Amino acid sequence: MSSPLTRLIREEIWSAKLLSIQDVKLQDVQSGLESGLQAGIGSSREERELFLKILSRVVEDAHTLAEFRLLKASLGVEPPTDSVDGYVLRLVWRMKKFLALLYSGSSVPHGRRLLAYFKSSCGRYRRGDAVLLEVEKALPFYLEDCVELVERPIYSYLQLRGQVLQTNS
């Protein structure tokens, strides 16, 4: 495995939280690859082959790290706000919430559309608009935190009651 990515993978595996990945850590990987590319231009065929194998390994390690971080985010681990990938991980978090609303039947449907309330102006919609949107149109607005899906009152009551029970225990 590539050294900086290997360290990140190990740290991520052993941490209960999602670690904050800074630009500096990624620049270590990139600068190592750039040095290898520059050195590989005038090197022998065997050295180029070795470099290509290393490059292939770096790509595999990057995929492993990405999959592990996405998995942790989808399991409910809170994404760090200062991480390079924090925005993407928060989108995964919100997508999970959106799908839970869809699967549970708690959102107010009308055929294949959902009732959405705009919390802020997005696109052609203004703050305060209540609109029926197809799932595929509601999702981007939901991911950008522009809308709330309107929930059936009984689900809102259950959430409130669950919060009250959690704070009393």
Side-chain angles (χ1 to χ4, degrees):
M1 281 196 210
S2 58
S3 184
L5 286 177
T6 303
R7 280 193 300 273
L8 283 173
I9 291 168
R10 269 195 220 116
E11 290 171 13
E12 195 67 60
I13 287 171
W14 291 107
S15 173
K17 297 179 179 179
L18 273 161
L19 300 176
S20 177
I21 297 178
Q22 304 300 312
D23 282 329
V24 175
K25 291 181 182 178
L26 295 181
Q27 288 171 355
D28 285 348
V29 174
Q30 293 167 352
S31 66
L33 292 175
E34 288 174 18
S35 298
L37 280 172
Q38 291 172 357
I41 291 173
S43 60
S44 68
R45 182 175 182 199
E46 292 82 25
E47 289 171 330
R48 281 193 302 270
E49 288 296 321
L50 178 61
F51 177 73
L52 289 175
K53 286 180 183 177
I54 292 170
L55 183 60
S56 173
R57 206 47 213 228
V58 167
V59 171
E60 287 176 28
D61 291 349
H63 279 278
T64 300
L65 181 61
E67 288 171 349
F68 198 74
R69 289 179 65 78
L70 288 170
L71 177 63
K72 283 175 88 172
S74 71
L75 290 173
V77 178
E78 186 173 355
T81 56
D82 62 342
S83 186
V84 170
D85 58 356
Y87 174 75
V88 174
L89 296 174
R90 281 187 298 285
L91 289 178
V92 170
W93 229 34
R94 288 196 57 77
M95 186 175 294
K96 178 183 173 184
K97 188 176 174 187
F98 180 88
L99 289 172
L101 290 169
L102 185 67
Y103 299 155
S104 69
S106 63
S107 57
V108 177
H110 187 311
R112 296 195 36 85
R113 297 185 294 173
L114 303 171
L115 183 56
Y117 173 78
F118 278 81
K119 302 187 307 184
S120 59
S121 296
C122 283
R124 67 180 190 196
Y125 301 105
R126 302 256 185 249
R127 182 177 188 271
D129 286 352
V131 182
L132 286 169
L133 296 170
E134 292 84 13
V135 171
E136 48 281 345
K137 290 189 178 165
L139 179 60
F141 289 124
Y142 189 84
L143 291 178
E144 287 299 322
D145 205 19
C146 293
V147 299
E148 295 257 345
L149 296 183
V150 177
E151 292 183 59
R152 298 172 195 255
I154 188 68
Y155 285 91
S156 298
Y157 171 75
L158 289 174
Q159 284 180 343
L160 178 63
R161 185 179 168 141
Q163 291 171 353
V164 169
L165 291 174
Q166 287 174 356
T167 56
N168 289 339
S169 50

